[in-house]
Amino acid sequence: MPSPQDVSARRRAFRDLHASGCFAIPNPWDPGSALYLEKLGFRALATTSSGAAWRHAKADGQMTVEEVLLHLREMVAATRLPVNADFEGGFAEDAAGVARNVRLAIETGVAGLSIEDSTGEPDVPLRDLPDAVERMRAARAAIDAAGGETLLVGRAENFIVGRPDLDDAIRRLRAYAEAGADCLYAPGIKTREQIAAVVAAVAPKPVNLLIGFATELTLHDIEALGVRRVSVGGALARTAWGGFMRTAETIAREGRFDGFAAAASGAELNRLFRGDRS
């Protein structure tokens, strides 16, 4: 594990990344993918609840807080980069529980963490705004009590849970900003108009944009819209799973092995994991 001094340095560097410009913060799902992304030159990484869950043969949202904390520790240990934690809804029914679990997440060494407002209940997928704000304030208080270095991300899940109401998402993001969130995030928005509206609504606080789909937008285009950081959620994990599933299905159904033509080099992977990061 990194030293306390190293953790503090990572957190300062992570906060500085949010001060200007736009950066990509890809989402590895295990230590190996984290190490490879570091090698590519990315400046920060973020965990993915879905990618981590699939790695453990679980659906997104089914991991326990203990399992997630273990995952965060191994991801922080795997890389020299700042790691932002997808901490879902805080793994607690009340604000006091959110505060307790946020304290535990901070102890793993993460440089940032997000708290979302979804309930996991199909009929009522979003928390009432006062409840969600209380939970965000609890997360903020836990971070401040630990020294205030860890970045807090407030997430409005409207577009992810089937309630694509931009006005409500903006109302929620503004409330989370007032409750102490340092960065705001409405996963699922896609159009230039939606993105620009969210950026303007919470300015000058930074906005995270999720790009987990094929799009004509480039990082340069997204920066021009005022977005500060771009994550990919479970898309890298889904891409890896897609290649694996297609190749395995071809073997099972057709007895053919040509899917291995796109496989990574074993020699390259061995060089990476032996510690040759050149």
Side-chain angles (χ1 to χ4, degrees):
M1 290 294 294
S3 68
Q5 294 78 15
D6 187 30
V7 168
S8 184
R10 294 187 196 191
R11 288 170 174 165
R12 289 194 301 271
F14 191 50
R15 191 169 288 274
D16 288 346
L17 283 175
H18 293 75
S20 62
C22 182
F23 66 99
I25 180 169
N27 303 70
W29 62 92
D30 66 3
S33 55
L35 188 58
Y36 183 69
L37 291 170
E38 176 185 313
K39 180 184 177 183
L40 289 180
F42 290 103
R43 294 178 288 174
L45 305 175
T47 66
T48 160
S49 64
S50 58
W54 300 329
R55 174 192 169 198
H56 290 89
K58 295 188 175 187
D60 190 12
Q62 288 189 336
M63 289 181 70
T64 67
V65 66
E66 292 81 11
E67 290 171 324
V68 170
L69 292 169
L70 177 60
H71 177 64
L72 296 181
R73 283 191 288 271
E74 69 175 358
M75 297 298 274
V76 168
T79 178
R80 296 169 293 192
L81 298 178
V83 175
N84 190 101
D86 180 345
F87 208 53
E88 302 182 47
F91 302 93
E93 289 302 317
D94 58 15
V98 170
R100 179 182 63 251
N101 290 336
V102 166
R103 287 193 294 270
L104 294 173
I106 292 169
E107 291 173 2
T108 69
V110 294
L113 62 87
S114 61
I115 297 292
E116 62 190 50
D117 57 9
S118 61
T119 65
E121 301 294 333
D123 294 337
V124 187
L126 292 170
R127 294 187 181 276
D128 291 338
L129 186 54
D131 179 30
V133 167
E134 182 183 12
R135 294 161 68 86
M136 195 66 62
R137 286 178 177 151
R140 176 78 265 163
I143 290 172
D144 290 345
E149 290 183 327
T150 307
L151 195 91
L152 177 60
V153 182
R155 293 178 49 149
E157 300 293 286
N158 299 68
F159 286 78
I160 293 295
V161 300
R163 298 291 189 272
D165 183 333
L166 184 61
D167 289 339
D168 185 59
I170 287 174
R171 182 163 48 250
R172 289 171 176 271
L173 293 178
R174 284 174 168 162
Y176 303 156
E178 292 176 4
D182 301 297
C183 179
L184 289 310
Y185 182 15
I189 60 172
K190 293 184 177 182
T191 70
R192 292 174 184 265
E193 293 75 17
Q194 291 170 338
I195 296 166
V198 167
V199 169
V202 302
K205 291 200 173 184
V207 167
N208 183 97
L209 177 67
L210 173 67
I211 298 290
F213 50 91
T215 177
E216 64 179 15
L217 292 173
T218 66
L219 195 62
H220 178 75
D221 296 330
I222 293 166
E223 181 175 12
L225 290 169
V227 170
R228 195 56 48 82
R229 70 184 215 186
V230 181
S231 60
V232 301
L236 286 174
R238 289 190 290 106
T239 300
W241 271 101
F244 162 73
M245 292 167 72
R246 285 189 297 272
T247 300
E249 288 168 4
T250 300
I251 296 170
R253 296 174 180 174
E254 303 176 30
R256 294 190 296 108
F257 301 88
D258 45 302
F260 293 144
S265 161
E268 181 180 1
L269 291 170
N270 286 332
R271 284 194 298 272
L272 172 66
F273 297 129
R274 274 196 298 263
D276 178 7
R277 301 190 188 187
S278 59

